[in-house]
Amino acid sequence: MKRYLKMYFQLFKFAAMKDMAYPQDFFIWTLVDLTWTMIGLGFFRVLLFRMPNISGWTFNELALMLGLVNIIGALMWGLMYGTMKELVRDINKGNLDIYLTKPVNSQFLVSSKEVSFSLFPKLFTGLFLVSYGLIINNKVSLPSILVISVSVLSSVVISYALYFITVTCALLFGRLANVAELFPHTMDTAAYPVSIFHPSLQFLFTFIIPFAMIGFYPASIILERVNYGVILSFPIAAVILLLISNFFWNFALKRYSSASS
Amino acid sequence: MKKYLALARVEWLDALHNWGEIILWILLESFPIFIMSSLWLSNKSGVMGTGYSFSQLITYYVVVVIISRLTSHYFDQGAQDEIRNGTFSRFLLKPISYPLAFIAPSIGGKLFHFTFLFMPVILTITFILRGYIVYPTFLNLMLFIVSLIAAFMLQYAFSVCITAVAFYLEQASAFMHVKWILENVAGGYMIPISIYPAWAQNILIFLPFKYLYFVPAQIFLEKLSTPEIFKQLIIAFSWVMVLVFLSHRFWKTGIKHYSGVGG
């Protein structure tokens, strides 16, 4: 474990240096990310300008949920998106050999390649919204902080595992250059209360593809709409999905054929 | 003309090869229909304040996806990469007129998408959402198709401008997002412009972006009278002429900055 943490730190440092090599790019992408984040918030403001609430959620309550979704979104775009795109490229070009022949877990190696620091505006917006949501709803308390900590840590792992499973499909289905776009697009559903969907989809987004665990359930727990005990299922779901992602990766690798020397 | 047909054919063949990716794009673009339908369905009381009926709102998002598939251009990202790494030189050596030649592959790809992939997907969506879909009269359908031509050409002008930024700047790909942001917010892709607060509508109504999605969708939904549609189409095609001219000027000035290294 210690060895992997040390390695991740080194890989992260290398990826960070690569990302910061062009400061001009950093500022442009930070501005782009900030604009998208503001648009996401503006979208809900416009909707709530026309309707009193979204499935029983007012803007102040939604702020808490959107804050959590923004935090996970920032980590997904900053730590995972570039890596997953690179992985798809490597799969399509048959360039995975370099990772498979190293005496390190190949899933770990292919998952630690890129990082983008333009994630900060989204991350800060998320933190601001969570703080705003806690204060305005009068829920600043130790249990709330604990729920947020457990849910954020679990959601990062859940998001990573689901994203990795989707991208691994490129090993099974051949040329799918845009498969890395699938997860970020479907993750948009996490920004809405799961109660807006059909009951069958509510089941899907709670138990199979648990997007509702990113924002909806943690916010529901803090707002006392759901029992506190639900939070215990978050780390369990995270571990199960991580194991599934590893199993699926090893299974899919058996279909991999190299194209490089 | 023959050489442009050849370019369209190449794109058609490429689409045949990459059908899996195209299906994925169609699914991804259909996602807003699914989310927004669920959202409005769960808040039927909220629909009343929008000026649309529930069916019109659902149809709006279905139509927006159709417009997006039929009018969007995807050459900008690839062309920017080629300008940046110098491989764009090979296009300059061919007896083909750029940026106009970007239109031919777009049409070739769209013909394939529309015939083999898009129609089955859209028929499935309209079947699932049957009873919620509003269909236009024949006249409005024809005028809707005309508005799509304007939207196609406006998208072309914006994509040419975005591509040409790569002649000046190293990190031009961020400008792709400027286009997407404008399409989403000012074009009516995310929410119909008429749902925005009055102050925002007053600004957006004077910009050309509303002709990308909002106005064609309004025509399809019969939210505009026939004289108003003709007025809007005249303004849309005026924007097309101005923006295509300006984008070509921008391209011609930009190409003087281009330097390709390597063979």
Side-chain angles (χ1 to χ4, degrees):
Chain A
M1 186 66 182
K2 201 177 159 190
R3 180 172 157 241
Y4 276 92
L5 277 173
K6 208 172 156 187
M7 255 191 300
Y8 185 76
F9 178 71
Q10 289 300 328
L11 288 165
F12 183 86
K13 210 167 86 176
F14 177 68
M17 279 162 64
K18 209 166 75 174
D19 188 58
M20 295 300 281
Y22 302 98
Q24 190 194 358
D25 293 8
F26 168 72
F27 287 115
I28 291 174
W29 283 110
T30 302
L31 200 65
V32 167
D33 273 21
L34 181 68
T35 314
W36 275 119
T37 308
M38 291 302 124
I39 286 172
L41 283 179
F43 172 73
F44 283 98
R45 274 317 301 177
V46 171
L47 282 181
L48 289 163
F49 170 71
R50 295 288 177 189
M51 50 172 79
N53 58 62
I54 294 177
S55 197
W57 289 66
T58 61
F59 185 78
N60 286 343
E61 290 167 329
L62 272 176
L64 193 55
M65 193 181 102
L66 289 174
L68 289 165
V69 172
N70 267 293
I71 291 172
I72 303 304
L75 297 172
M76 189 269 293
W77 287 108
L79 303 178
M80 301 176 206
Y81 180 71
T83 294
M84 297 299 174
K85 271 191 99 168
E86 193 73 18
L87 175 58
V88 173
R89 213 170 294 145
D90 283 338
I91 292 172
N92 288 335
K93 287 185 175 174
N95 287 344
L96 281 183
D97 306 32
I98 193 162
Y99 310 105
L100 303 177
T101 49
K102 295 238 171 11
V104 183
N105 183 306
S106 58
Q107 181 177 356
F108 169 80
L109 267 188
V110 297
S111 304
S112 332
K113 288 176 67 182
E114 299 278 332
V115 62
S116 166
F117 283 100
S118 62
L119 62 91
F120 283 117
K122 205 172 178 63
L123 189 66
F124 289 140
T125 311
L127 290 170
F128 169 77
L129 282 173
V130 168
S131 313
Y132 171 81
L134 286 175
I135 294 166
I136 203 86
N137 293 300
N138 208 13
K139 295 289 175 193
V140 185
S141 65
L142 189 64
S144 298
I145 309 290
L146 271 174
V147 167
I148 290 169
S149 311
V150 173
S151 81
V152 166
L153 284 173
S154 307
S155 298
V156 169
V157 178
I158 289 170
S159 303
Y160 162 74
L162 289 172
Y163 203 168
F164 194 76
I165 290 169
T166 350
V167 168
T168 304
C169 289
L171 277 167
L172 301 176
F173 300 109
R175 194 178 159 176
L176 277 178
N178 54 353
V179 74
E181 309 293 336
L182 185 61
F183 181 78
H185 276 75
T186 46
M187 201 185 147
D188 284 350
T189 50
Y192 301 85
V194 75
S195 46
I196 69 163
F197 298 111
H198 187 271
S200 58
L201 292 170
Q202 288 184 31
F203 179 83
L204 178 79
F205 294 137
T206 303
F207 298 106
I208 315 289
I209 312 168
F211 285 132
M213 281 190 176
I214 294 174
F216 178 77
Y217 282 112
S220 299
I221 294 168
I222 293 168
L223 295 169
E224 292 170 25
R225 291 171 175 228
V226 176
N227 193 298
Y228 265 87
V230 173
I231 195 69
L232 295 174
S233 61
F234 283 43
I236 298 170
V239 171
I240 291 173
L241 280 168
L242 192 62
L243 289 173
I244 292 174
S245 76
N246 187 250
F247 172 79
F248 189 55
W249 170 248
N250 289 326
F251 165 76
L253 272 181
K254 288 175 188 157
R255 303 269 189 112
Y256 170 68
S257 54
S258 166
S260 55
S261 57
Chain B
M1 190 63 193
K2 213 173 159 185
K3 54 196 175 191
Y4 294 104
L5 283 174
L7 284 173
R9 191 169 169 271
V10 167
E11 193 64 26
W12 168 280
L13 293 171
D14 192 54
L16 268 174
H17 183 60
N18 300 326
W19 60 270
E21 283 176 26
I22 295 163
I23 287 183
L24 211 52
W25 280 128
I26 293 170
L27 281 175
L28 293 177
E29 285 191 19
S30 307
F31 240 78
I33 303 177
F34 155 71
I35 293 177
M36 294 312 290
S37 308
S38 303
L39 186 67
W40 293 114
L41 200 60
S42 68
N43 288 279
K44 276 190 170 167
S45 57
V47 173
M48 285 186 286
T50 63
Y52 293 85
S53 67
F54 178 70
S55 302
Q56 282 176 329
L57 272 175
I58 300 300
T59 310
Y60 183 89
Y61 287 101
V62 173
V63 171
V64 157
V65 172
I66 294 174
I67 298 168
S68 171
R69 285 317 300 181
L70 294 179
T71 63
S72 298
H73 293 265
Y74 305 102
F75 63 81
D76 31 22
Q77 199 160 9
Q80 273 190 349
D81 288 343
E82 296 199 325
I83 291 168
R84 194 168 51 238
N85 62 34
T87 47
F88 187 73
S89 309
R90 65 195 170 102
F91 294 113
L92 300 175
L93 299 171
K94 287 175 185 164
I96 298 171
S97 169
Y98 277 95
L100 215 56
F102 286 128
I103 292 179
S106 282
I107 293 174
K110 278 176 203 317
L111 278 175
F112 174 84
H113 298 186
F114 194 73
T115 321
F116 295 112
L117 298 164
F118 190 57
M119 280 316 282
V121 171
I122 215 70
L123 284 174
T124 312
I125 290 172
T126 44
F127 177 74
I128 294 167
L129 295 172
R130 68 189 180 282
Y132 293 125
I133 301 292
V134 176
Y135 294 97
T137 59
F138 181 73
L139 175 67
N140 273 54
L141 184 66
M142 290 299 114
L143 293 170
F144 168 71
I145 292 168
V146 175
S147 73
L148 290 186
I149 298 169
F152 180 81
M153 290 310 293
L154 283 172
Q155 288 274 15
Y156 162 76
F158 294 135
S159 290
V160 169
C161 288
I162 297 296
T163 309
V165 173
F167 290 128
Y168 301 90
L169 294 173
E170 186 77 10
Q171 190 56 49
S173 58
F175 284 82
M176 299 278 301
H177 288 261
V178 175
K179 190 182 93 166
W180 293 333
I181 286 167
L182 289 169
E183 275 179 22
N184 269 280
V185 179
Y189 187 92
M190 279 169 81
I191 308 175
I193 291 174
S194 52
I195 291 182
Y196 284 109
W199 64 265
Q201 287 185 45
N202 290 338
I203 298 169
L204 299 179
I205 218 81
F206 290 106
L207 301 176
F209 306 104
K210 66 172 181 172
Y211 298 104
L212 297 177
Y213 297 105
F214 180 66
V215 171
Q218 293 291 88
I219 296 172
F220 191 94
L221 292 170
E222 299 182 0
K223 299 287 280 181
L224 301 174
S225 64
T226 310
E228 181 62 20
I229 293 174
F230 279 105
K231 187 183 147 196
Q232 290 298 329
L233 287 177
I234 290 167
I235 301 172
F237 280 100
S238 308
W239 272 115
V240 167
M241 284 193 285
V242 171
L243 290 171
V244 168
F245 172 76
L246 288 176
S247 66
H248 281 213
R249 292 292 306 168
F250 187 49
W251 178 275
K252 276 184 184 163
T253 322
I255 213 157
K256 289 173 188 160
H257 291 258
Y258 174 69
S259 59
V261 183

